[in-house]
Amino acid sequence: MEVDEDISTSNGHASKKSTTTKKDEGNKDHDFYFNFYSSLQNQANMIGDISRTGTYRKAILGNAEVAFKDKIVLDVGAGSGILSYMSAQAGAKEVIALEASSMAEKIEILIKAANAGKNNAHLKDRIRIVRGMVEDEKVQKQVLEHGKVDTIISEPIGVMLLHERMVESFILARDLFLKPDGQLLPSAGHVFFCPFSDEALYNETDQKAQFFNTTLFGTDFKELYPAAREEVFAQPVVGMFPPTSLVSTACTPKSFDFYTCKKEDLLEFSIPVDFVVHRTTLIHGLASWFDLDFYPRVQPTSEDPAWNYPINSTSNWQWMSQESPLNPGPTPNPPNDGLSVTLSTGPSAARTHWQQARLLLPEPLAANKGERLKGLIHFKVNEARSYDLILDLEIDRPGPEFNPNSLKRRAEYQLQQQCFNYSYNPDASLSALSMAAGL
């Protein structure tokens, strides 16, 4: 354990203690989860997601007056520390960067250089690093060294909002560390579902199972075909898809208010779905995405038009005119009552590293235009930092009770067993449309 005691500086401030551990005694990086986030390249992938990081920047700097200026801020799952650094830019008095992986040591490299006056003057004597998990009692004592915090910032989000189950740690941090009137960013999350039709994706998935429905090197593998098919269709498909593949309007989302929801609300729940099909088609499953909201506890009553700029564009906005979108210029002055910001990961929004997810039905459902598709999606946590899902769907079409009902489907999924599909690139599609139009 390396500890740097408080040292008085020339400006009267005290440098912050570092409680990182060179040889971690608790959360070993050989745990796949922590190993993944200990990689600078994986951190680069997330920092380089302009929609994600730019929206967080907008939410942090836009709420500087109400949530950051002269406040004590906790960054839960700090990763590269990027949100901690933004919090310092927003005027935080102290930022506690809580990180369980060895990425905490990378944060420490930057903070030691800043405290020594080499660079990053905005970080000097403002960042305190704590290595460990929210659930660890020793970590809790370290975080609470100076009392409860004014604001908690975090990026605890995974595929379909809740994969990796870090939102539970975010909620626990709220209960343990946040002052009663404190601020939470993000403030709410919403999970959307919508039926889609994609014959190519369905056939591609089925073909993976068909590999075993034959004789391979002299041995008949056909007995494994049913298991292979069950396996591939239980894998959520992560990737972008064209909005035109959706065959209805997304139903009312499942929403989680992070200011008020309880951990128990995240462990097991069901989402009812109800759609009107827009065209006669085969329904191959449900597509999913999520939105994140950022707002102060007392939401602003008006919008500041100066902050109504697009995250993913650098044109026509003088404070976003830097060459690199990864290093934008200064923002407008923060509104006194804060700012409400939304990050969407939907198919019509700008690309994010989360992309979208689709749940394929092992057998498609045939639907006519105007028919209703109803059902229920049941979520239950598992031991793989994720969820087991059960999807029940049916076409609301009357028929004789004695006939076999081919209009119902049930499918099960393991959210952690994701596969990836990159057959659709919205940027390339937009470029092709522009070229066709002669733009």
Side-chain angles (χ1 to χ4, degrees):
M1 177 77 70
E2 177 181 278
V3 177
D4 296 331
E5 295 299 327
D6 285 353
I7 302 173
S8 178
T9 61
S10 58
N11 60 10
H13 292 99
S15 64
K16 303 304 177 184
K17 288 182 181 179
S18 168
T19 50
T20 59
T21 305
K22 289 298 182 184
K23 293 184 178 179
D24 182 30
E25 297 173 359
N27 307 305
K28 302 295 185 182
D29 279 347
H30 63 240
D31 178 307
F32 176 80
Y33 179 77
F34 294 110
N35 183 63
F36 180 87
Y37 288 108
S38 69
S39 162
L40 282 169
Q41 291 306 305
N42 288 330
Q43 292 293 333
N45 181 51
M46 291 181 285
I47 294 173
D49 180 345
I50 302 298
S51 293
R52 164 199 180 266
T53 313
T55 300
Y56 266 89
R57 178 178 186 265
K58 188 174 183 179
I60 291 170
L61 299 183
N63 285 288
E65 289 293 332
V66 295
F68 293 93
K69 188 176 180 180
D70 299 323
K71 305 291 187 182
I72 298 177
V73 177
L74 171 64
D75 180 3
V76 177
S80 66
I82 188 70
L83 303 185
S84 295
Y85 312 147
M86 291 178 182
S87 299
Q89 287 176 321
K93 177 171 62 177
E94 177 185 57
V95 183
I96 305 165
L98 176 59
E99 172 58 33
S101 81
S102 61
M103 189 55 59
E105 297 167 16
K106 309 299 192 303
I107 299 175
E108 187 174 29
I109 292 171
L110 290 184
I111 299 311
K112 280 189 171 182
N115 290 346
K118 292 183 177 180
N119 49 28
N120 295 320
H122 62 289
L123 303 181
K124 183 176 173 60
D125 305 330
R126 290 179 183 267
I127 310 291
R128 177 161 65 96
I129 307 163
V130 175
R131 174 84 181 267
M133 298 175 66
V134 174
E135 293 78 6
D136 189 305
E137 290 186 6
K138 291 182 180 179
V139 169
Q140 294 167 14
K141 291 179 181 178
Q142 292 170 5
V143 171
L144 291 170
E145 181 177 336
H146 300 148
K148 292 200 171 185
V149 304
D150 300 292
T151 299
I152 296 179
I153 185 80
S154 184
E155 199 274 77
I157 306 306
V159 171
M160 220 175 283
L161 187 72
L162 299 176
H163 170 59
E164 295 182 352
R165 295 182 59 185
M166 194 182 159
V167 174
E168 295 169 38
S169 297
F170 182 47
I171 298 304
L172 177 60
R174 176 202 68 188
D175 294 341
L176 291 173
F177 307 132
L178 189 64
K179 292 178 179 177
D181 59 346
Q183 310 289 350
L184 279 177
L185 298 175
S187 315
H190 315 276
V191 187
F192 294 85
F193 288 94
C194 191
F196 73 92
S197 181
D198 191 331
E199 186 175 2
L201 177 64
Y202 179 84
N203 290 338
E204 177 185 319
T205 304
D206 184 63
Q207 197 60 39
K208 293 177 184 177
Q210 289 288 351
F211 177 85
F212 291 96
N213 195 23
T214 187
T215 298
L216 300 171
F217 295 94
T219 297
D220 188 339
F221 274 74
K222 292 179 183 177
E223 295 297 323
L224 293 183
Y225 170 65
R229 200 168 192 278
E230 180 180 349
E231 179 181 292
V232 294
F233 278 96
Q235 296 176 328
V237 180
V238 175
M240 307 289 287
F241 59 80
T244 53
S245 68
L246 300 178
V247 298
S248 183
T249 302
C251 62
T252 302
K254 173 68 174 179
S255 295
F256 297 92
D257 183 336
F258 298 144
Y259 280 110
T260 60
C261 76
K262 300 176 182 178
K263 178 181 176 180
E264 291 72 24
D265 299 333
L266 304 169
L267 301 183
E268 186 171 8
F269 57 90
S270 294
I271 303 177
V273 293
D274 193 341
F275 313 96
V276 175
V277 179
H278 291 166
R279 66 177 186 266
T280 299
T281 188
L282 282 179
I283 295 171
H284 292 105
L286 292 187
S288 180
W289 60 91
F290 63 86
D291 286 359
L292 279 181
D293 290 337
F294 303 79
Y295 48 78
R297 188 178 290 269
V298 178
Q299 295 193 45
T301 55
S302 61
E303 294 185 4
D304 185 337
W307 283 84
N308 187 25
Y309 62 85
I311 296 296
N312 278 57
S313 174
T314 60
S315 60
N316 302 322
W317 303 97
Q318 59 180 357
W319 53 87
M320 295 284 284
S321 61
Q322 298 289 326
E323 267 189 24
S324 171
L326 292 173
N327 190 30
T331 55
N333 292 329
N336 289 333
D337 57 352
L339 188 71
S340 292
V341 181
T342 295
L343 169 63
S344 177
T345 66
S348 297
R351 175 198 296 270
T352 71
H353 79 282
W354 291 291
Q355 304 187 76
Q356 293 105 35
R358 284 178 285 181
L359 304 176
L360 275 167
L361 293 171
E363 299 297 337
L365 266 172
N368 295 315
K369 180 180 179 180
E371 287 186 323
R372 288 178 67 190
L373 177 68
K374 301 189 300 182
L376 195 72
I377 310 165
H378 185 75
F379 282 67
K380 187 175 182 179
V381 296
N382 59 33
E383 295 300 317
R385 290 186 177 271
S386 197
Y387 286 78
D388 296 325
L389 277 57
I390 299 176
L391 170 62
D392 286 295
L393 283 178
E394 65 176 297
I395 301 291
D396 186 15
R397 184 188 304 162
E401 293 184 3
F402 56 84
N403 281 348
N405 191 343
S406 60
L407 305 177
K408 291 185 177 181
R409 297 289 185 268
R410 165 169 280 210
E412 299 184 9
Y413 308 90
Q414 295 175 314
L415 187 52
Q416 73 275 13
Q417 297 293 341
Q418 299 155 17
C419 65
F420 298 88
N421 182 278
Y422 302 116
S423 58
Y424 172 70
N425 183 335
D427 301 328
S429 299
L430 184 61
S431 176
L433 287 173
S434 299
M435 290 179 63
L439 300 177

